């Protein structure tokens, strides 16, 4: 209701595994009740929250003031609705309901409308959260090109009865989405953006001053997200954006650089409104879009094929990309190759070789197998177990010498939509239609022949092809040298294979064409190159692939760290409170132990999530920094290991906190030891040794005289009593010995002080 991303629950429903480090209770409020109150101990004046530079295992649970006080407010993280959650959980419920007609609608197209326009447009920020139905219907076609809205002078009453392909239908689906999201207690990235924007509007930006900003992969951000960047950057004329709209493959994002220019126009209007009649000192200017037409990464053989795909996108979906001059390479190179008339096993032989065991050449660090999605990666033949394999989305931003595009069309979400490329071909090349007819007549497979027909384009139902073409473009342009395309689905691949061959953008390669073609394409890679690629993949969050690289480079600790990160990331997705979650965090923590001291903090976080508090405390205590020390103390205290917690407190300068804890627990001897070993520390008067010693003596005397204690406990307490009394000068010490019946010690002390007469009596 208030825009908060936290869902409050009763104590019985709270799972401590969520945000475990922040949830460790500070029952006595260690860090705010002593040194921090009077500012005498600067070592402990920082925020208690855990460092943000942590592994995927970390969870943040914040109260209204931004501090993690689980003892005061218990909360549980709500589930984020990304595209995977939307497609698997929410979309099926929308489709199965009778509220709306979703026939011909793809989940990806709807997700993009929600997060790029209804909730992700700049206008939605000023509205508070989302566009109204009429505002969405009236968005210009160039800004939201996928579905038809209202004409400029039309009214809502003019909407057609058949709403297929209309924004009016999309808005109904949006409302159904919000209802389902609320039912499951979820939130999405647009909710987060609006929450941050609301905070900025209410409280302003109070973080580190940002005078200049550079944003790469700009096409992966919505207008609203880019609006946040503009909001916090002081000099909006010192912002640099780079990107490629053909690579807009992030689910839910539709981007053009012209939309970015529109953002700056909005900011201009905002600046003028705020200035009113005052002179604007540094007026905001709308940036100029500069096109980079020379590609230094790859060559013309690959770029020509990529340009052909861009032509298809612009033909059918002109509003989804910016129309820019064609890229050219700095040098020529081989065209992409289609592996035709090749079985799966033969294709594997071509890529990795026939004898994997005896061959000295392995799949290289600069070669990659790209697949359409995660499920396709899981289905790869076992021959590729030692190869780098990733989805097209995972590969974005990376580059390789050789790209092997595996079963892209077989796993594509488009099917008959691929026939549109034949419509484009027939429309632009008169000879293509005849060649297509001849190819269809020669094809024995009726299904393949059926795919070799043109298809009339429908803006309403064929949006999925735009996404698939952008994925294909991204995959091909990951390569610096070679692209090999293999697909075992003869039916789904038929239109695009025909298009690529007829236009001369590719060469054909067959296992049976000649002996030279059967030589494996794998190349040898040095350990240093494997290590470098491992770092690259790790920095991009591809931990499993990074671990594979480190394994090949022989870096055991780096491999263990990467696997720990992967396991921790998976563990965080397990249900809170489940045994599976605890076991997964334990396994991740064990990998971090293998990784050594450099990964101790990650391991500590995992063991804390798994409720292994003592081990977590030990690891935190090995890590530098005040935050780690505080987390070590919390973990030790939760584990009931009091002495270790005190030791960390003292070692890190939290002497006053240590003394308070010791005195609250009647551990006077330990408190006195702390004071004795830190003579430079000036305690409050009530904690001075002179004040503490009598209290200590009385407490030990009571323990020594308590019949409920066993003999060993009473004897130990008696010894502590005598040690305390020896340090108490004058009559006070003598009186304590006399009152508590230590006659022999009383007489010896009288004699030692020269009072022999009283000792004799």
């Amino acid at each position: 209701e208030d825009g908060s991303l936290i869902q409050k629950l009763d104590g019985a429903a709270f799972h401590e595994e969520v945000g475990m480090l922040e949830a460790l209770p500070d029952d006595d409020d260690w860090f705010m009740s002593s040194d921090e109150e009077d500012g005498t101990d600067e070592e402990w004046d920082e925020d208690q929250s855990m460092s943000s530079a942590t592994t995927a295992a970390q969870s943040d649970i914040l109260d209204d003031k931004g501090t993690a006080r689980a003892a005061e407010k218990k909360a549980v993280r709500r589930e984020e609705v990304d595209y995977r959650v939307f497609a698997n959980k929410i979309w099926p419920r929308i489709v199965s309901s009778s509220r709306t007609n979703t026939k011909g609608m793809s989940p990806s197209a709807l997700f993009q409308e929600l997060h790029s326009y209804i909730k992700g447009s700049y206008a939605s920020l000023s509205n508070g959260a989302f566009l109204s139905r009429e505002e969405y219907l009236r968005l210009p076609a160039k800004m939201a090109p996928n579905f038809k809205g209202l004409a400029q002078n039309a009214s809502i009453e003019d909407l057609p009865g058949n709403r297929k392909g209309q924004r009016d239908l999309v808005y109904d689906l949006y409302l159904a989405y919000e209802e389902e999201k609320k039912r499951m207690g979820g939130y999405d990235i647009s909710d987060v953006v609006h929450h941050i924007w609301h905070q900025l509007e209410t409280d302003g930006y109070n973080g580190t001053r940002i005078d200049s900003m550079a944003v790469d992969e700009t096409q992966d951000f919505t207008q609203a997200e880019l609006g946040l960047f503009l909001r916090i950057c002081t000099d909006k004329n010192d912002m640099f954006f780079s990107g490629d709209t053909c690579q807009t493959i992030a689910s839910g994002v539709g981007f053009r650089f012209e939309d970015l220019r529109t953002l700056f126009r909005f900011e201009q209007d905002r600046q003028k409104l705020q200035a009113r009649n005052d002179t604007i000192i540094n007026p905001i200017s709308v940036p100029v879009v500069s096109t980079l037409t020379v590609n230094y990464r790859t060559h013309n053989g690959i770029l020509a094929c990529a340009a052909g795909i861009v032509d298809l996108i612009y033909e059918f979906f002109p509003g989804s990309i910016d129309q820019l001059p064609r890229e050219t390479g700095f040098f020529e190179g081989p065209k992409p190759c289609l592996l035709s008339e090749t079985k799966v096993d033969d294709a594997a032989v071509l890529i990795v070789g026939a004898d994997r065991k005896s061959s000295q050449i392995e799949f290289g660090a600069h070669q990659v197998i790209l697949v359409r999605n995660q499920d396709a990666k899981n289905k790869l033949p076992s021959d590729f177990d030692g190869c780098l394999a990733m989805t097209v989305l995972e590969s974005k931003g990376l580059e390789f010498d050789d790209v092997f595009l595996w079963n892209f069309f077989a796993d594509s979400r488009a099917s008959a939509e691929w026939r549109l490329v034949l419509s484009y071909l027939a429309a632009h090349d008169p000879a293509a239609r005849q060649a297509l007819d001849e190819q269809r007549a020669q094809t024995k497979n009726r299904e393949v022949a059926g795919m070799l027909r043109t298809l009339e384009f429908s803006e309403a139902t064929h949006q999925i092809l735009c996404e698939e073409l952008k994925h294909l473009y991204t995959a091909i342009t990951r390569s610096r040298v070679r692209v090999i395309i293999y697909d075992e689905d003869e039916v789904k691949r038929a239109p695009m294979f025909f298009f690529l061959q007829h236009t001369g953008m590719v060469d054909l390669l067959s296992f049976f064409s000649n002996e030279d073609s059967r030589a494996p394409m794998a190349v040898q890679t040095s350990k240093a190159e494997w290590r470098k690629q491992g770092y690259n993949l790790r920095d991009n969050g591809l931990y499993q692939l990074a671990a594979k690289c480190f394994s090949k480079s022989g870096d055991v600790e780096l491999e263990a760290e990467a696997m720990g990160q992967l396991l921790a990331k998976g563990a965080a997705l397990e249900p809170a409170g489940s045994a599976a979650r605890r076991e997964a965090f334990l396994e991740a923590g064990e990998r971090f132990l293998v990784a050594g001291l450099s990964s101790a903090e990650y391991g500590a976080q995992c063991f804390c999530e798994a409720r292994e508090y003592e081990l977590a405390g030990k690891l935190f205590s090995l890590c530098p920094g005040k935050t780690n020390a505080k987390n070590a103390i919390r973990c030790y205290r939760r584990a009931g290991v009091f002495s270790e917690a005190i030791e960390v407190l003292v070692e890190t300068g939290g002497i006053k906190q240590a003394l308070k804890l010791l005195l609250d627990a009647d551990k006077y001897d330990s408190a006195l030891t702390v004071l004795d070993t830190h003579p430079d520390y000036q305690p409050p008067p009530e904690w001075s040794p002179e004040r503490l010693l009598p209290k200590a003596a009385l407490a030990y005397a009571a323990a020594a005289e308590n019949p409920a204690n066993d003999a060993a406990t009473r004897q130990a307490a008696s010894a502590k009593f005598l040690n305390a009394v020896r340090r108490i000068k004058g009559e006070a010490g003598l009186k304590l010995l006399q009152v508590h019946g230590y006659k022999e010690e009383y007489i010896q002390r009288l004699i030692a002080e020269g009072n022999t007469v009283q000792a004799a009596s």
Side-chain angles (χ1 to χ4, degrees):
E1 297 296 334
D2 61 357
S4 172
L5 300 183
I6 295 175
Q7 194 175 27
K8 303 172 188 176
L9 298 178
D10 294 332
F14 175 65
H15 299 295
E16 291 179 348
E17 291 85 352
V18 180
M20 181 64 74
L21 292 173
E22 288 80 3
L24 294 180
D26 292 329
D27 297 330
D28 296 324
D29 207 6
W30 301 8
F31 305 113
M32 298 302 292
S33 60
S34 49
D35 295 39
E36 290 182 356
E37 290 177 347
D38 53 22
T40 58
D41 197 339
E42 295 181 1
E43 184 72 14
W44 293 94
D45 281 345
E46 292 193 355
D47 173 38
Q48 297 175 53
S49 63
M50 181 178 168
S51 170
S52 61
T54 60
T55 183
Q58 178 186 356
S59 300
D60 295 323
I61 298 181
L62 304 176
D63 64 14
D64 294 336
K65 295 182 180 179
T67 55
R69 294 285 180 181
E72 299 174 6
K73 178 179 287 187
K74 297 182 177 181
V76 62
R77 182 189 293 276
R78 293 160 59 180
E79 182 175 12
E80 180 181 358
V81 180
D82 56 13
Y83 180 74
R84 181 180 291 270
V85 174
F86 169 76
N88 294 333
K89 294 184 178 181
I90 295 182
W91 176 251
R93 290 183 62 88
I94 293 177
V95 171
S96 63
S97 70
S98 58
R99 292 171 292 183
T100 50
N101 179 16
T102 57
K103 186 177 181 181
M105 174 81 69
S106 72
S108 59
L110 175 59
F111 201 69
Q112 179 174 318
E113 291 297 304
L114 301 184
H115 292 292
S116 284
Y117 311 122
I118 298 177
K119 299 181 71 174
S121 62
Y122 187 81
S124 70
L125 291 175
S126 58
N127 281 18
F130 54 89
L131 299 180
S132 68
R133 184 186 295 269
E134 185 165 354
E135 287 170 328
Y136 172 57
L137 291 175
R138 294 192 183 281
L139 282 179
K142 287 187 176 180
M143 182 175 291
N146 299 336
F147 296 88
K148 292 181 180 179
L150 281 175
Q152 185 174 0
N153 299 321
S155 65
I156 293 183
E157 288 73 20
D158 296 326
L159 289 171
N162 179 11
R163 299 191 301 160
K164 189 174 182 180
Q166 301 290 327
R167 291 187 199 165
D168 190 44
L169 170 61
V170 172
Y171 204 86
D172 284 348
L173 296 174
Y174 157 68
L175 295 177
Y177 162 77
E178 288 294 336
E179 185 178 327
E180 291 296 331
K181 178 163 64 73
K182 183 177 181 180
R183 182 191 60 79
M184 65 183 290
Y187 71 95
D188 57 39
I189 186 64
S190 294
D191 295 329
V192 177
V193 170
H194 286 285
H195 178 77
I196 296 172
W197 181 267
H198 175 72
Q199 296 300 314
L200 290 173
E201 290 288 283
T202 304
D203 304 322
Y205 176 67
N206 300 312
T208 303
R209 179 184 171 95
I210 300 175
D211 295 305
S212 178
M213 184 181 294
V215 181
D216 194 15
E217 303 288 358
T218 309
Q219 75 277 355
D220 291 339
F221 296 97
T222 65
Q223 269 198 355
E225 290 166 344
L226 292 170
L228 288 181
F229 298 160
L230 266 70
R231 184 73 169 80
I232 65 174
C233 188
T234 305
D235 187 356
K236 296 173 177 54
N237 293 325
D238 196 4
M239 300 184 75
F240 180 84
F241 299 86
S242 61
D244 182 354
T245 50
C246 289
Q247 295 186 48
T248 310
I249 62 175
S251 295
V253 178
F255 174 85
R256 298 178 312 145
F257 273 96
E258 186 55 40
D259 298 335
L260 183 58
R261 287 169 54 83
T262 301
L263 271 184
F264 277 86
R265 295 189 186 98
F266 284 142
E267 283 298 315
Q268 281 182 329
D269 295 340
R270 181 189 181 95
Q271 186 182 53
K272 292 175 183 177
L273 183 63
Q274 291 177 340
R276 297 184 180 179
N277 297 324
D278 297 335
T279 302
I280 300 175
I281 299 176
N282 185 22
I284 298 171
S285 59
V286 178
V288 176
V289 177
S290 300
T291 305
L292 304 179
T293 58
V294 179
N295 189 315
Y296 293 92
R297 178 175 67 186
T298 190
H299 54 74
N300 285 323
I302 291 173
L303 290 175
C305 183
I309 297 172
V310 172
D311 289 341
L312 290 171
I313 298 173
Y314 198 77
E315 173 78 9
F316 296 110
F317 314 101
S320 68
I321 59 173
D322 298 284
Q323 189 173 20
L324 304 172
R326 285 200 174 203
E327 276 188 317
T328 57
F330 201 62
F331 49 88
E332 299 301 318
K335 299 176 182 179
C337 290
L338 296 182
L339 273 178
S340 62
E341 301 177 5
T342 305
K343 296 181 180 179
V344 173
D345 293 340
D346 294 335
V349 169
L350 277 174
I351 295 173
V352 300
D355 191 350
R356 298 294 308 283
K357 294 182 179 179
S358 62
S359 175
Q360 297 300 308
I361 299 177
E362 62 182 353
F363 200 79
H366 303 295
Q367 298 179 298
V368 69
I369 296 173
L370 294 185
V371 294
R372 180 61 184 84
N373 51 48
Q374 195 65 41
D375 291 337
K377 188 164 69 171
N378 297 334
K379 294 186 296 184
L380 280 172
S382 58
D383 302 88
F384 298 149
D385 287 348
C387 305
L388 291 182
M390 60 184 72
T391 66
V392 176
L393 184 58
E394 288 173 334
S395 74
K396 213 166 74 65
L398 302 175
E399 57 185 58
F400 302 87
D401 287 343
D402 298 330
V403 167
F404 302 94
L405 187 55
W406 186 268
N407 276 345
F408 179 88
F409 302 100
D411 297 308
S412 168
R413 287 191 283 187
S415 183
E417 292 87 351
W418 286 111
R419 290 166 50 200
L420 289 171
V421 305
L422 302 178
S423 301
Y424 169 87
L425 196 59
H428 290 79
D429 182 359
R433 184 174 293 277
Q434 182 179 350
L436 184 60
D437 292 339
E438 293 174 356
Q439 180 69 30
R440 187 167 59 249
Q442 296 171 9
T443 302
K444 297 179 180 180
N445 188 315
R446 294 180 63 183
E447 287 187 90
V448 173
M451 286 291 282
L452 293 174
R453 294 181 292 113
T454 59
L455 180 66
E456 184 179 351
F457 176 63
S458 169
E459 188 177 13
T461 59
H462 293 155
Q463 285 294 324
I464 188 66
L465 184 64
C466 180
E467 182 180 341
E468 295 302 307
L469 287 171
K470 287 187 175 184
H471 273 79
L472 182 59
Y473 170 89
T474 302
I476 289 174
T477 54
R478 296 311 90 206
S479 173
R480 289 187 288 253
V481 182
R482 287 191 302 179
V483 175
I484 310 296
I485 302 174
Y486 173 78
D487 205 288
E488 61 182 319
D489 193 325
E490 296 182 44
V491 177
K492 291 181 70 174
R493 80 186 188 191
M496 199 66 191
F497 269 35
F498 181 88
F499 172 83
L500 294 173
Q501 291 177 66
H502 184 80
T503 54
M505 296 179 186
V506 297
D507 289 326
L508 289 180
L509 179 65
S510 172
F511 182 76
F512 301 102
S513 57
N514 56 66
E515 290 294 329
D516 292 337
S517 69
R518 302 187 193 183
M521 301 173 185
V523 295
Q524 197 161 15
T525 303
S526 68
K527 288 188 175 182
E529 288 177 300
W530 278 116
R531 184 180 301 112
K532 183 178 179 180
Q533 186 67 283
Y535 283 131
N536 182 31
L537 295 172
R538 184 192 66 180
D539 293 344
N540 280 275
L542 301 173
Y543 300 119
Q544 188 169 20
L545 294 172
K548 184 175 291 187
C549 291
F550 291 135
S551 173
K552 292 179 180 293
S553 67
D555 295 295
V556 176
E557 291 186 355
L558 289 173
E559 179 187 1
E561 181 194 350
M563 286 304 299
Q565 296 281 13
L566 177 69
L567 292 168
K569 187 177 180 180
L573 300 177
E574 295 289 345
S578 67
R581 181 185 176 94
R582 181 177 184 277
E583 290 300 319
F585 272 119
L586 281 175
E587 186 178 358
E590 289 168 0
R591 295 298 181 101
F592 286 126
L593 287 179
V594 175
L597 187 59
S598 62
S599 298
E601 184 176 348
Y602 295 142
Q605 293 162 17
C606 289
F607 286 121
C608 189
E609 292 282 355
R611 298 187 176 188
E612 293 292 336
Y613 299 119
E614 184 172 358
L615 180 54
K618 289 180 180 178
L619 292 176
F620 273 127
S621 67
L622 295 175
C623 302
K626 294 183 284 291
T627 300
N628 284 320
K630 293 177 180 180
N631 285 330
I633 294 165
R634 290 190 179 103
C635 289
Y636 276 140
R637 193 180 184 203
R638 189 63 181 269
V641 189
F642 193 83
S643 57
E644 279 80 356
I646 296 300
E647 184 178 342
V648 175
L649 265 175
V650 172
E651 287 178 353
T652 52
I655 298 175
K656 191 171 184 179
Q657 290 90 342
L659 289 173
K660 183 179 185 302
L661 287 173
L662 290 169
L663 295 175
D664 287 347
D666 294 335
K667 294 183 179 294
Y668 296 102
D669 55 339
S670 297
L672 290 167
T673 300
V674 171
L675 290 172
D676 292 342
T677 53
H678 294 81
D680 295 335
Y681 176 73
Q682 297 296 321
E686 65 273 16
W687 288 0
S688 66
E690 292 76 16
R691 295 276 192 93
L692 291 184
L693 284 168
K695 295 180 180 179
L698 290 172
Y700 295 138
E705 296 164 5
N706 187 350
N709 292 333
D710 56 40
T713 301
R714 294 198 302 272
Q715 185 176 357
S718 178
K720 290 180 179 181
F721 168 81
L722 293 174
N723 287 332
V725 170
R726 288 190 190 101
R727 298 178 60 182
I728 300 174
K729 299 177 181 179
E731 288 295 326
L734 287 169
K735 186 175 182 180
L736 284 169
L737 290 171
Q738 186 178 31
V739 169
H740 293 284
Y742 289 85
K743 185 175 182 180
E744 182 177 347
E745 289 79 3
Y746 173 75
I747 293 173
Q748 290 176 354
R749 179 158 176 170
L750 284 174
I751 295 173
E753 293 178 357
N755 197 345
T756 55
V757 175
Q758 187 175 354
S761 62

